[in-house]
């Protein structure tokens, strides 16, 4: 599910449950609670929700560190891992907003309980508990997203669909695509070694610079133009997605593009080396 869909689903669910529970509370009340029961229930709800959020955040930090470690060990995971981190960040924002809103509403209920007008208090009681339920559902969904198996494969398939968007889908030769990519990678690797470009990621000095980083360097040095830079980066992302679980096929257009990019990279590097 997209982040927008999660946000709108959360808002719709909260609104629907709040209206439904308020209607039931006014016309067909299930529970009749005294002041002590209300204070105990809502203070406990706030504490439980805060504790659950804290444990969820701790577990998320652990899994995020594991993703970073995998990215350092396998450079081809960079695109998928960065995409996952971005998604988890937005989901964590939704979890945080819903959790603290529910805690705040519980505090408002506790503060307003002594009032004489029962209509707004009844509405607050139902809205606060609706927020509590929705927050727990959002936390459960977030945990499921983080620990679900096959997340790298799914995100790789998504990247492949975004990059290989030929309107007329004619399947090209995967072997030719990978051959063109490997030749481009060899050219960039030779360039990196020739000019002593090394990676310092993970505090490992002398490590060969990733292909995407070499492309960044070439673009900033104006060796390649923006169009070639974008095409090359897309080829890197597509190749990485194929390696990590995406459907093992490419369109004929992408095979042609990979050959064209290879020729342009080779030409640009030769021009750079010529006096």
């Amino acid at each position: 599910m997209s982040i927008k869909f999660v946000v709108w689903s959360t808002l719709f669910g909260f609104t629907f449950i709040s209206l439904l529970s308020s209607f039931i509370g006014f016309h067909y009340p299930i529970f009749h609670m005294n002041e002590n029961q209300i204070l105990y229930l809502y203070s406990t709800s706030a504490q439980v929700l805060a504790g659950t959020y804290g444990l969820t955040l701790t577990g998320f930090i652990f899994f995020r560190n594991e993703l970073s470690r995998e990215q350092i060990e396998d450079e081809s995971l960079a695109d998928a891992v960065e995409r996952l981190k971005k998604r988890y960040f937005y989901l964590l924002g939704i979890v945080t907003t819903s959790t603290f809103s529910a805690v705040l509403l519980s505090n408002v209920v506790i503060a307003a309980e002594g009032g004489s007008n029962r209509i707004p208090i009844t509405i607050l009681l139902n809205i606060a508990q609706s927020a509590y339920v929705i927050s727990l559902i959002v936390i459960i969904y977030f945990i499921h997203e983080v620990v679900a198996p096959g997340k790298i494969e799914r995100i790789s398939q998504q990247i492949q669909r975004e990059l290989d968007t030929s309107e007329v889908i004619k399947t090209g030769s995967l072997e030719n695509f990978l051959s063109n990519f490997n030749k481009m990678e060899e050219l960039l690797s030779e360039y990196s070694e020739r000019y002593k470009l090394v990676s310092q990621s993970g505090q490992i000095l002398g490590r060969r610079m990733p292909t995407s980083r070499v492309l960044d360097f070439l673009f900033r040095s104006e060796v390649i133009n923006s169009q070639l830079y974008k095409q090359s980066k897309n080829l890197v992302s597509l190749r990485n997605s194929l390696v990590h679980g995406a459907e093992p096929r490419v369109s004929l257009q992408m095979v042609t593009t990979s050959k064209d990019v290879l020729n342009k990279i080779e030409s640009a590097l030769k021009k750079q080396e010529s006096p």
Side-chain angles (χ1 to χ4, degrees), residues 43-59:
S43 63
T44 302
S45 297
Q47 293 173 37
V48 169
L49 198 56
T52 304
Y53 174 79
L55 291 173
T56 302
L57 183 59
T58 302

Side-chain angles (χ1 to χ4, degrees), residues 45-240:
S45 297
Q47 293 173 37
V48 169
L49 198 56
T52 304
Y53 174 79
L55 291 173
T56 302
L57 183 59
T58 302
F60 167 70
I61 292 173
F62 170 78
F63 277 102
R64 193 177 188 280
N65 290 339
E66 282 297 302
L67 281 176
S68 298
R69 181 183 61 78
E70 291 179 15
Q71 181 179 355
I72 291 173
E73 293 177 354
D74 187 352
E75 296 165 356
S76 63
L77 284 172
D79 296 302
V81 168
E82 288 302 320
R83 186 76 65 93
L84 283 173
K85 286 181 178 179
K86 185 177 180 180
R87 176 174 176 80
Y88 292 159
F89 175 78
Y90 288 130
L91 287 177
L92 183 61
I94 298 172
V95 170
T96 302
T97 302
S98 62
T99 298
F100 281 89
S101 297
V103 171
L104 178 61
L105 286 169
S106 295
N107 291 336
V108 172
V109 167
I110 294 172
E113 172 54 27
S116 57
N117 192 344
R118 305 311 299 174
I119 294 178
I121 293 177
T122 302
I123 294 174
L124 272 175
L125 289 172
N126 290 283
I127 290 177
Q129 278 303 295
S130 299
Y132 174 75
V133 171
I134 290 296
S135 295
L136 289 179
I137 293 174
V138 171
I139 289 174
I140 291 171
Y141 174 75
F142 176 68
I143 294 173
H144 177 267
E145 279 282 303
V146 173
V147 303
K151 49 184 175 289
I152 295 293
E153 290 79 3
R154 286 196 299 274
I155 206 71
S156 296
Q157 291 174 356
Q158 180 182 342
I159 293 173
Q160 182 186 20
R161 288 194 297 269
E162 292 176 1
L163 294 176
D164 200 349
T165 57
S166 177
E167 294 182 1
V168 180
I169 302 178
K170 290 185 177 180
T171 303
S173 170
L174 181 61
E175 290 78 9
N176 289 343
F177 173 82
L178 293 176
S179 176
N180 293 333
F181 180 85
N182 290 336
K183 289 176 183 178
M184 182 189 77
E185 196 171 43
E186 288 174 7
L187 287 173
L188 295 175
S189 178
E190 290 174 2
Y191 178 86
S192 172
E193 292 175 1
R194 184 179 301 116
Y195 292 96
K196 306 299 181 183
L197 302 178
V198 294
S199 172
Q200 298 183 13
S201 61
Q203 298 180 348
I204 301 177
L205 299 176
R207 186 177 179 181
R208 182 179 65 84
M209 179 176 281
T211 302
S212 59
R213 293 285 300 280
V214 180
L215 290 171
D216 293 340
F217 180 85
L218 292 175
F219 176 64
R220 289 195 299 268
S221 302
E222 298 183 351
V223 176
I224 58 177
N225 58 34
S226 59
Q227 182 180 4
L228 181 56
Y229 171 73
K230 183 178 180 180
Q231 289 178 326
S232 304
K233 295 279 282 190
N234 286 343
L235 288 181
V236 173
S237 297
L238 180 58
R239 180 264 182 185
N240 291 343

Side-chain angles (χ1 to χ4, degrees), residues 18-69:
S18 296
L19 292 174
L20 179 63
S21 60
S22 297
F23 175 80
I24 294 174
F26 275 116
H27 299 283
Y28 310 101
I30 300 174
F31 302 106
H32 297 274
M33 296 184 294
N34 57 39
E35 182 176 353
N36 289 334
Q37 288 176 315
I38 291 173
L39 295 177
Y40 180 79
L41 174 62
Y42 285 85
S43 63
T44 302
S45 297
Q47 293 173 37
V48 169
L49 198 56
T52 304
Y53 174 79
L55 291 173
T56 302
L57 183 59
T58 302
F60 167 70
I61 292 173
F62 170 78
F63 277 102
R64 193 177 188 280
N65 290 339
E66 282 297 302
L67 281 176
S68 298
R69 181 183 61 78

